[in-house]
Amino acid sequence: MYNILICDDDADIRAALKIYLSGEGYTLFEAENGAQALEIAAREPLHLILLDVMMPAMDGIAVTARLRQTSNVPIILLTAKSEDSDKVLGLNVGADDYVTKPFNPVELLARIKSQLRRYAQLGGMPDAGGHRLQVGGVCLDDETKTVTVDGAPIALTPIEYNILRLLMQNPGRVYSSTQIYELVWNEPALGSESAVAVHIRHLREKIEIDPSQPRYLKVVWGLGYKMEKGV
Amino acid sequence: MKTRLGERIGVRALAFFLLAVSSAVGGLCLFGTLWCETCNWYANRKAESYFETEAFYGEVERDIRQIVQMAGCYGFTLETEEQYSSNSSNFTYRLWRLDENNPEAEGELISSTYTETSPSVTGSEIIRASDLGYLDPIAEDEANALYRVDWIVDGTLPVGDSYYYEYLLFVSLYDERYYLPVIAAVGLALSLGLLIFLLWNAGRAPGGQRNAGPAGFLPLEAYLLLTVGGGILCLSLMANGAQNILGTALWLLGLWGAFLFFTDALMGVCARARAGVLFRHSLSGAILRWVWRLVRGFCRWLRDSFAALPLVWVAMMGGVCVLLGETILTLLAFTSYEFFFLLLWLGAQVLLLAVLCRFFSGLYQLRLVSRKMAQGDLSVRVPAKKLWGPLREQGEDLNRISEGMSAAVDERLRSERFKTDLITNVSHDLKTPLTSIINYVDLLQKEALEPQAAEYASVIARQGQRLKKLTEDLVEASKASSGSLPVNAEPTDLAELLTQAVGEYAPRLEKSNLEPVLQLPGEPVWSMLDGRLTWRVVDNLLSNACKYSQPGTRVYVEAEQRAGRAWLRVKNISRQQLNIPADELMERFVRGDASRTTEGSGLGLNIARSLAELQNGEFGLIIDGDLFKAWASFPLSAPPVREEPPEATAGLSCSPDSAPIPLTT
């Protein structure tokens, strides 16, 4: 089973996380500051670390930077800071995901599972052939017409599948609703673009853990939609 | 501080007294020396007796000439005989008128006081009237007259006349004649030293202080009048000359007195100069000062009374003066035909033009600056020092207003930022305990609870979620209103954005039993916006629509391009009666239902307005009965430089007629 380190200076939050995670059968370690976290990380073989950002002694950003020098263990930052600049900083020093307090326990569990799946499958990933498209944990096989997210298969409708394929062909490129409509439905839009928004939302609900904070399928407001490039 | 000797007034008085004495002694000795020199006593060492000295014969010569002149030429025989009688003079005479053609003859005796005595000194002399030098021109026939004077001086000098005094002087001086120059030199050197000492110390007082001296209370003029006047008076004593020994004494006394008076005057001037009151404490200075004060006061009065007049009156008076002057000058110039007046007229025109130009350029500068201030640029300042008169005052006032306003704006910005920081920090601190509350309520709800307890737990869970939303909104509202949110504006299609937004909101609208109606112009509406911020505006408006709309109604979402601006509108029918003014609804924590029981923080519209204004937009609400309209407008922009339409990748192109693809899971 997996070893997970919970690092937070608030004992109540650690206890709550333990209750949630122990139900899933993980082996849990606790640390109440950054120094302890580094100590445990050096001692135990860990598979995932939940790390608070604002802690005494050594904050989460510094711990992440230190851990990344030797290890590629998944790190999820937990923090009360919700500004975009804080998220960017956290992800840039090497964190894999970012969850703001107060968090939804179900969503946090989903993110933990997703990171563990990817971590466990790293290296065992088959080569992407001409018929395979991959963006981050999202994998689309155009031969078998299957889509997996972090290894878990997803059921899509044909329209959703075509939209996803279009966006994954050019990750980072922004397609407007009209373009998507014309390329997927293959007919002039003539005011039917609003259908695209609904399909995109459904697609996002299937491939994203938190649809309102998408990692892969992003809304570029006022311009269109895109598949995130560098995940 | 040590008191120096010269600073004591008593020492100076003593020095002055010494000066008087030493100058008197020195002067007398000098005079004696000179006298001895005229008597040739230094050359002729043989003069053993007074009656052999040059001085004696000089005296005799003088008497002879006087007798010839008075008794011979003018005929004042009686007076002369009285003056030279043996009772009143040691010198007696016989005056003879000689025949010009035969000087050897005895001649005619004119007057005689001749008295034989023993011992005596006698002599005789022939003198020509013209040799006297100062005969009246009328008595020209007398010019060649010859006179002989036989004289005799009583050797015992019984009468106290000038011979007697000269004899006394001779007796006392002759023996001392070699000491006199020495005493004179010492006395005069001492006088010079004392004079320098006195002048150097004039005006000094004990302890290094300065004052105008003992006579400092007198004005300079009065002091000079006293001292210089006294000196001149003394000098006038010398006017009689030094014919005889008494006259000489008087002459010397006058010289001495004048010297002392002038020394005093010099000392007074030095003292005043040292004390720095030479002109201040003088009548002429006082008069000058008084006149100056008078003139200055008058000028001030003129200026003040001018300044107290209203500007209109000043302008009117100035205008009348200019017009009058102009008219007179023009008449002069064109009736007199004089080149000078023509030139004057021309000069006046140029001057008038220059003044007008200056005035209007100042006015123009004021206008420029006030226009910029009105446009919100508070950094501009009027160069008030280059302006004059009322324009300068105006400029200075304008500068003060600008400074005051920028200070107020800065202060406001600072306090807003401080508030934002405070709110952000507080909400960070709130989030940690909130996390535990939400988590443990969630855990609680998973336990097998009594129905009543489960209901309580769900209330806590709901309110916990509300608190979470509230902290997030609070941070966002304060950030949006203080302007500390970064804005990444780029050309954005408002129509596309609304399409996306309605797509996002479709399930929530459906849940609230609302039907969205999207009204778009059919072409993109480009505007410089930050898409994420504009989405938050629309998000807040649609969220409100979901929360407060009457179920079963339609929600209109519109984009439009009109009057050079991009407009977005959200209209819905309120579920409850809206009895709050539109402006108040946009304030923080104000909600239409005023009950605060439903979900929501009351910050949504405030955030929407702040975010719209951050993007150079405007935001407003219109309440018309139950119809609730929210609008925002932004400046239009050019469409972005679009990349090429996406090319379909080979092998992965969407087949136009592809049937729905069966998907396996």
Side-chain angles (χ1 to χ4, degrees), chain B residues 225-395:
Chain B
L225 191 73
L226 280 179
T227 52
V228 177
I232 290 171
L233 215 62
C234 289
L235 283 180
S236 70
L237 284 180
M238 300 162 68
N240 289 336
Q243 287 101 345
N244 53 21
I245 188 73
L246 272 173
T248 304
L250 219 57
W251 191 88
L252 280 175
L253 198 67
L255 190 65
W256 181 65
F259 168 73
L260 290 184
F261 269 118
F262 285 136
T263 304
D264 228 25
L266 213 55
M267 272 166 60
V269 169
C270 283
R272 278 150 209 267
R274 182 152 290 136
V277 294
L278 188 61
F279 292 109
R280 204 179 310 159
H281 194 197
S282 73
L283 281 176
S284 54
I287 289 169
L288 268 178
R289 275 199 300 279
W290 185 73
V291 168
W292 166 242
R293 265 207 297 277
L294 207 67
V295 168
R296 201 177 49 177
F298 180 70
C299 287
R300 278 193 184 157
W301 174 80
L302 211 62
R303 195 190 60 196
D304 289 351
S305 51
F306 206 60
L309 277 178
L311 199 59
V312 179
W313 282 102
V314 173
M316 209 129 93
M317 279 165 64
V320 166
C321 285
V322 167
L323 280 180
L324 266 178
E326 182 72 14
T327 311
I328 291 169
L329 209 57
T330 310
L331 282 176
L332 268 177
F334 289 99
T335 53
S336 70
Y337 297 108
E338 270 198 46
F339 183 65
F340 170 73
F341 282 117
L342 212 63
L343 214 63
L344 206 64
W345 178 81
L346 211 65
Q349 304 310 305
V350 170
L351 191 73
L352 199 61
L353 198 68
V355 167
L356 277 179
C357 282
R358 184 89 198 277
F359 181 80
F360 281 104
S361 84
L363 208 59
Y364 178 67
Q365 274 180 342
L366 280 183
R367 225 178 110 61
L368 273 186
V369 170
S370 48
R371 164 86 40 97
K372 274 191 184 161
M373 281 177 192
Q375 284 166 352
D377 181 1
L378 292 179
S379 65
V380 287
R381 293 283 179 277
V382 182
K385 286 198 176 139
K386 290 187 185 163
L387 304 176
W388 48 268
L391 290 184
R392 171 180 238 177
E393 286 167 25
Q394 177 86 27

Side-chain angles (χ1 to χ4, degrees), chain B residues 433-571:
Chain B
L434 195 56
T435 307
S436 284
I437 292 173
I438 288 172
N439 289 342
Y440 283 97
V441 170
D442 185 59
L443 288 172
L444 202 60
Q445 282 178 313
K446 285 180 181 154
E447 300 292 322
L449 294 173
E450 306 272 319
Q452 196 74 20
E455 199 188 320
Y456 297 162
S458 76
V459 170
I460 297 174
R462 197 171 67 236
Q463 296 300 334
Q465 289 301 328
R466 225 182 118 187
L467 199 54
K468 175 182 163 186
K469 173 88 175 122
L470 191 60
T471 56
E472 283 163 1
D473 282 359
L474 204 57
V475 172
E476 189 169 4
S478 73
K479 281 198 165 180
S481 65
S482 72
S484 53
L485 271 183
V487 178
N488 304 313
E490 54 186 355
T492 305
D493 180 7
L494 209 54
E496 169 85 25
L497 192 140
L498 289 183
T499 310
Q500 292 172 325
V502 170
E504 293 294 316
Y505 260 88
R508 281 189 66 185
L509 289 166
E510 206 174 319
K511 208 171 113 195
S512 304
N513 194 13
L514 296 167
E515 185 188 337
V517 180
L518 201 53
Q519 293 188 317
L520 303 173
E523 55 190 30
V525 181
W526 293 108
S527 179
M528 284 300 282
L529 298 173
D530 184 331
R532 287 176 316 115
L533 299 186
T534 315
W535 152 244
R536 291 288 293 131
V537 175
V538 180
D539 183 18
N540 277 309
L541 293 179
L542 287 175
S543 163
N544 270 3
C546 291
K547 274 183 256 175
Y548 302 118
S549 283
Q550 175 70 27
T553 57
R554 280 179 279 272
V555 175
Y556 287 79
V557 180
E558 302 174 0
E560 195 186 0
Q561 182 173 336
R562 187 166 56 80
R565 291 179 79 83
W567 298 79
L568 77 82
R569 269 184 228 100
V570 176
K571 302 188 229 174

Side-chain angles (χ1 to χ4, degrees), chain A residues 130-158:
Chain A
H131 57 282
R132 282 181 83 93
L133 294 170
Q134 177 154 16
V135 172
V138 182
C139 191
L140 182 143
D141 189 332
D142 203 35
E143 268 186 357
T144 57
K145 308 290 182 197
T146 52
V147 174
T148 57
V149 175
D150 295 329
I154 303 286
L156 295 180
T157 69

